[in-house]
Amino acid sequence: DIASKIPGTWLGISKNENCIRIGNLLNVTGEQPRGVRSRGSLVLDFIKTSEGIEDHNQKLLKDFKEINNFTFLSIEIQGREIKIFDACNVTEDIQKIPDGKNPQNPQILLKLAFSAIFGVSNSPFNSPYLKVTTGTQQFRKIIESHLACNKENFVNSLMNFLKSSTKHRPCAELSKRRPLDEEIFSSIHVDYASAQYGSRNRSVILVDHDDNVDYVEERMIRENDKWERKWLKMGNKLKA
């Protein structure tokens, strides 16, 4: 999807004088391809739109049959107002939504509390992997232990968390979606050398009360398998 004819990305952020938007697209592991439309543009479409976050997600889910299975996390920050939504077009999860009106309609849109701490991965939001539930608890501890810490130490702790190769298993949801290689995918950082697959990017985005944004990325260099860090600062008056 990301390397299709339509340019795309798994993670993106945009910022202007009035609004900050962050989009994160995740593939839902183990689902059969069914759509003809690439998912690659979903993040770019959101961070560039002039529509409100809820209206944009509702329109996205109207086209769910045209798009391969996905879960899409979107965040909109306007001053002190923060809106977070998770959109998913996987049908089996609709039964678990308390206010799901039509079990046959896979248009799932969850509005998440902006003050909450939560985790997402390659499964529907309401069917998390064990590494997500455990990782969310670890993420909370990192945040609580760095409230008075300098920014660089905080980022380093988050990056170390994203590097974790600890196996979180057995995991029923992951076993269902990847029965042959559940152990390999049970860690936060995935290294599947025999399949030439694995985690190759780690990103941390920080937004302060004055709308200053820090985007920190560690990326694997294909030529030598070493990791390179880049730190981008976006001031509160900067358009990007």
Side-chain angles (χ1 to χ4, degrees):
D1 293 291
I2 302 306
S4 66
K5 294 180 180 179
I6 302 175
T9 182
W10 296 110
L11 175 69
I13 179 171
S14 66
K15 185 176 188 295
N16 58 40
E17 293 177 348
N18 301 314
C19 183
I20 299 171
R21 287 193 178 92
I22 302 170
N24 186 199
L25 171 68
L26 298 108
N27 170 57
V28 180
T29 300
E31 297 291 333
Q32 293 299 316
R34 67 177 184 189
V36 294
R37 175 181 160 190
S38 169
R39 296 167 296 189
S41 65
L42 297 189
V43 171
L44 294 179
D45 289 345
F46 169 67
I47 65 175
K48 292 179 179 180
T49 186
S50 59
E51 299 174 319
I53 183 173
E54 186 165 4
D55 289 341
H56 182 82
N57 277 287
Q58 292 285 8
K59 289 182 179 179
L60 169 63
L61 288 174
K62 286 181 180 179
D63 298 328
F64 71 92
K65 290 183 179 179
E66 299 178 4
I67 312 171
N68 283 334
N69 293 294
F70 68 85
T71 181
F72 178 59
L73 181 69
S74 53
I75 303 172
E76 183 178 81
I77 304 172
Q78 291 182 301
R80 293 294 176 262
E81 185 177 17
I82 302 173
K83 297 179 181 178
I84 306 174
F85 283 85
D86 182 84
C88 183
N89 67 345
V90 176
T91 56
E92 66 184 51
D93 215 43
I94 190 67
Q95 301 261 14
K96 300 181 181 179
I97 308 301
D99 57 352
K101 297 178 181 179
N102 183 1
Q104 303 304 317
N105 186 351
Q107 299 182 29
I108 305 170
L109 186 59
L110 301 179
K111 185 174 183 179
L112 308 175
F114 76 88
S115 59
I117 297 174
F118 53 86
V120 294
S121 187
N122 301 101
S123 67
F125 187 85
N126 288 285
S127 302
Y129 296 149
L130 179 59
K131 67 178 179 181
V132 173
T133 55
T134 305
T136 301
Q137 296 171 3
Q138 295 173 343
F139 183 42
R140 180 187 297 275
K141 290 179 180 178
I142 292 173
I143 292 174
E144 292 174 346
S145 64
H146 287 78
L147 295 177
C149 181
N150 69 56
K151 190 179 295 184
E152 186 172 357
N153 286 343
F154 183 36
V155 169
N156 288 339
S157 294
L158 291 172
M159 287 296 185
N160 287 333
F161 164 68
L162 294 174
K163 295 176 186 177
S164 174
S165 58
T166 300
K167 305 298 183 183
H168 301 278
R169 57 194 301 267
C171 175
E173 182 68 18
L174 186 55
S175 294
K176 179 180 70 175
R177 296 186 174 278
R178 299 210 67 110
L180 299 180
D181 42 25
E182 178 240 348
E183 181 177 2
I184 294 173
F185 284 86
S186 66
S187 56
I188 293 174
H189 176 87
V190 175
D191 186 359
Y192 198 171
S194 62
Q196 296 185 324
Y197 178 89
S199 304
R200 61 182 183 86
N201 283 75
R202 299 186 282 262
S203 302
V204 172
I205 299 175
L206 305 177
V207 182
D208 67 17
H209 290 291
D210 295 317
D211 290 342
N212 296 298
V213 178
D214 287 84
Y215 178 87
V216 189
E217 179 182 86
E218 291 185 348
R219 180 173 63 93
M220 178 187 285
I221 308 302
R222 292 181 182 274
E223 290 73 18
N224 54 24
D225 289 345
K226 292 183 178 180
W227 290 80
E228 175 186 74
R229 176 181 287 192
K230 292 185 178 181
W231 193 312
L232 174 65
K233 295 180 179 290
M234 303 166 68
N236 59 2
K237 294 183 179 180
L238 177 66
K239 291 184 177 181

